[in-house]
Amino acid sequence: IMGIIETEVVPGHSDEEGLQRRLALYKASTVEGTDTAMALLGDDLKIQTERLVVEDSTAAELVERAIRVLGEPHNYGPTEEEVRAAREAKESAERAIAEEKAQKLAEKTEAERVAKDLQEKFEAQKKDEIRSLDQSRLLRAAVPLRKYLQSKIMSVVRNGLIECAEVRPDDPIDYLAQYLLSHNTHVE
């Protein structure tokens, strides 16, 4: 009724008498124990009702009167200690989660480092095997080449170097080249 604009009030409907009449009719037509008994709830629970005249009172007087009838207001929310305990529990849980993540990361990093070390050792062993195989293969492949060089080339080159050392020409490289060409048994 308080929220209705005065120009919209319909006599006998939106005024105090109309509300009381409709409320009495509702109370009379409801059956106790059913969902329609809400209007009788105040009577069933023996709830004290207080009528406040708003037009004649200030807000402070209305609040004071409500406090007198209802009692001091209560805060049903958590106390400061409960809020602090909840915050500390949340921070502790977050810290535990962060420590767990850090531990898992450290374990993962350590596992990766160990795996990397094993991989490097394996690769180093492979490289050593390849080097040893390459050296032995190279030595085996070098034997026929060495025989060829000893039998066909080194005798001619040795004789050319000896002659170059005895003659002592101004251009020893050119002299040796001319010597090798002139003493080549396989002229093409």
Side-chain angles (χ1 to χ4, degrees), residues 17-95:
E17 292 106 24
L19 177 64
Q20 291 299 332
R21 180 183 49 77
R22 288 193 312 281
L23 190 55
L25 178 65
Y26 180 74
K27 284 180 181 182
S29 66
T30 57
V31 178
E32 195 169 330
T34 64
D35 290 341
T36 61
M38 287 304 293
L40 300 173
L41 184 64
D43 295 340
D44 291 343
L45 297 177
K46 295 183 178 38
I47 297 174
Q48 176 186 355
T49 58
E50 181 74 22
R51 185 168 176 185
L52 298 176
V53 180
V54 178
E55 291 87 16
D56 299 341
S57 306
T58 64
E61 291 172 340
L62 291 172
V63 170
E64 182 182 322
R65 191 163 174 197
I67 290 174
R68 211 174 324 119
V69 171
L70 301 173
E72 288 293 322
H74 300 283
N75 180 8
Y76 293 102
T79 63
E80 289 181 21
E81 292 84 19
E82 292 171 333
V83 170
R84 190 177 321 110
R87 183 176 55 243
E88 289 173 359
K90 181 180 177 184
E91 289 171 355
S92 174
E94 288 173 352
R95 223 175 312 149

Side-chain angles (χ1 to χ4, degrees), residues 95-111:
R95 223 175 312 149
I97 290 171
E99 289 173 0
E100 184 179 335
K101 283 183 180 178
Q103 182 180 3
K104 285 183 180 179
L105 180 64
E107 290 172 358
K108 181 181 177 185
T109 304
E110 180 65 19

Side-chain angles (χ1 to χ4, degrees), residues 139-168:
L139 290 174
R140 273 185 267 128
V143 170
L145 180 63
R146 185 173 293 139
K147 285 181 180 177
Y148 172 77
L149 288 174
Q150 289 287 339
S151 66
K152 304 284 185 192
I153 296 175
M154 288 309 288
S155 62
V156 177
V157 171
R158 188 179 328 115
N159 290 336
L161 287 173
I162 291 171
E163 189 174 317
C164 188
E166 290 173 355
V167 174
R168 296 188 185 253

